[in-house]
Amino acid sequence: MALRDLLNIRSTDITDEAVYRQRRDLISAMALAPALTLAGCAEAEPPPAPKVTVTPAQARAGFKTNEELTRQADATSYNNFYEFGTGKADPGNAAKTLRTSPWNVAVSGECEKPGTLSLDDLLKGLASEERIYRLRCVEGWSMVIPWQGVPLAQVLKRFAPTSKAKYVAFTTLADPVQMPGIRYRSINWPYREGLRMDEAMNPLTLLATGMYGKPLPQQNGAPLRLVVPWKYGFKSIKSIVEIKFVERMPETAWHDLQPSEYGFFSNVNPAVDHPRWSQKTERRIAGNASKLFAERIPTLPFNGYGEQVASMYAGMDLKKWF
Ligand SMILES: Nc1nc2c(c(=O)[nH]1)N[C@H]1C(S)=C(S)[C@@H](COP(=O)(O)O)O[C@H]1N2
Ligand SMILES: [Mo]
């Protein structure tokens, strides 16, 4: 299928299944015709982050939703982890062999105490917390997942970021031996993500090591993944091996692939549709609701975490900085 046709697909009457297939087919089309990439011009830097403080009480109000949980069996079998294939069942089937111990994380860039640490040393002395967050995938489905982990801020502070650290960049392991999906150029490997410093330090941002009270399964990003509940799911990068403090907005995997469709910020926003489908509603996979037939519910700005995060974007045009 030509890229042109993919971009012209009407979004009103397609299922989520079709949406993710389009997302995948677009990748194949782009691999054949990389010159068709829509962006190209150098992007301006966004306005500086306003100085804001979220009170502890405000933050805490976002830590646990009491909405119905997604079944553990669904959260661990319906996944996106393209390193193990682009099908929803691929990670659950193929990731079991990912070796998660020993696991080292290299921290570098604009900080006073860079270093490569074992997972144990990275998290030593930090108390694990439980967070029950909504997870909204850009494809239009969502889950409610109980995570265990530590606030990212507590980990980052250990490396003493300097005043030049304006963003944090994250990289996933890319091992073609352990990860069968790496052989396909669905993504320009390694998978990369990034946050602005204030987003990284926000109390909601979690470095997760577990879910449902157990260590993270490989398909969910073991042994260490990000969870950023007010952003589309692809910002929550899995199986992290590198963290770098940087001065400029870092390139990220989905933006790299299709900058017109996947912005750096990617805050959940029902007012900004994906160019090929609406973002106004979502299918909540929770309780007994199945993936394809769950009723659509409205998608909330910042995925319902506005009280905790909206002030970080005060004065920013969220249509431009999508
Ligand atoms: N390294 C890596 N991280 C990733 C992805 C991926 O393909 N590779 N997929 C992202 C997407 S699109 C989503 S929706 C979430 C899904 O997380 P889950 O499978 O734990 O629900 O992981 C994100 N993190
Ligand atoms: Mo996603």
Side-chain angles (χ1 to χ4, degrees):
M1 203 191 289
L3 178 62
R4 178 177 64 245
D5 298 327
L6 286 163
L7 295 175
N8 283 339
I9 288 172
R10 300 285 314 188
S11 63
T12 41
D13 51 9
I14 50 177
T15 63
D16 291 343
E17 192 77 12
V19 163
Y20 97 75
R21 285 190 196 287
Q22 280 186 60
R23 196 178 176 203
R24 192 178 55 181
D25 292 347
L26 174 68
I27 289 168
S28 326
M30 305 250 321
L32 297 173
L36 286 176
T37 302
L38 296 179
C41 43
E43 278 179 59
E45 285 283 314
K51 288 260 172 297
V52 295
T53 37
V54 177
T55 68
Q58 267 178 316
R60 264 197 312 277
F63 286 174
K64 289 186 189 189
T65 171
N66 52 21
E67 289 156 283
E68 188 173 29
L69 294 185
T70 298
R71 288 178 298 197
Q72 187 179 349
D74 288 335
T76 56
S77 66
Y78 187 80
N79 301 103
N80 278 330
F81 199 169
Y82 278 23
E83 286 84 339
F84 295 97
T86 54
K88 289 288 181 280
D90 290 345
N93 292 328
K96 291 276 175 281
T97 51
L98 174 67
R99 249 183 298 109
T100 57
S101 173
W103 191 271
N104 292 325
V105 181
V107 184
S108 66
E110 305 291 351
C111 63
E112 283 162 22
K113 300 174 182 168
T116 298
L117 279 74
S118 69
L119 190 62
D120 279 355
D121 285 342
L122 186 77
L123 304 177
K124 191 177 283 167
L126 300 178
S128 182
E129 300 179 18
E130 181 172 69
R131 302 290 174 84
I132 304 176
Y133 285 154
R134 294 175 287 276
L135 172 81
R136 169 58 156 87
C137 177
V138 73
E139 294 161 2
W141 51 267
S142 62
M143 297 190 181
V144 180
I145 299 179
W147 304 101
Q148 290 78 44
V150 301
L152 176 65
Q154 292 183 12
V155 173
L156 295 186
K157 279 179 194 151
R158 306 192 140 176
F159 299 91
T162 69
S163 60
K164 277 189 165 174
K166 299 276 192 282
Y167 295 89
V168 199
F170 303 86
T171 308
T172 296
L173 178 73
D175 177 359
V177 176
Q178 296 190 74
M179 298 169 141
I182 296 277
R183 139 164 43 108
Y184 309 102
R185 297 209 57 80
S186 51
I187 297 270
N188 295 323
W189 311 111
Y191 195 101
R192 289 145 293 145
E193 259 309 332
L195 295 172
R196 204 172 60 185
M197 204 61 189
D198 58 329
E199 300 177 323
M201 301 310 256
N202 188 286
L204 285 194
T205 307
L206 193 73
L207 258 184
T209 54
M211 65 195 291
Y212 297 90
K214 302 194 185 94
L216 274 183
Q218 284 97 328
Q219 62 267 36
N220 294 93
L224 188 71
R225 59 104 42 101
L226 204 59
V227 181
V228 195
W230 71 96
K231 293 177 180 282
Y232 290 117
F234 64 86
K235 297 293 292 182
S236 293
I237 182 173
K238 296 177 169 178
S239 304
I240 297 167
V241 289
E242 253 185 69
I243 299 176
K244 190 171 184 183
F245 297 100
V246 294
E247 200 171 359
R248 303 294 302 263
M249 184 184 275
E251 182 57 293
T252 57
W254 279 97
H255 179 268
D256 185 11
L257 207 60
Q258 190 51 283
S260 64
E261 299 189 355
Y262 305 100
F264 174 83
F265 287 95
S266 285
N267 295 315
V268 173
N269 190 347
V272 177
D273 285 339
H274 187 281
R276 291 178 290 125
W277 59 82
S278 165
Q279 294 293 25
K280 289 184 181 58
T281 63
E282 65 201 53
R283 288 183 205 274
R284 174 67 54 83
I285 304 165
N288 289 323
S290 85
K291 282 118 198 154
L292 296 177
F293 305 109
E295 253 180 69
R296 290 201 158 272
I297 56 172
T299 287
L300 302 175
F302 301 108
N303 203 20
Y305 298 101
E307 194 194 336
Q308 289 79 28
V309 305
S311 58
M312 292 193 290
Y313 310 101
M316 223 167 111
D317 178 353
L318 297 178
K319 287 204 159 69
K320 176 166 191 231
W321 300 105
F322 63 98

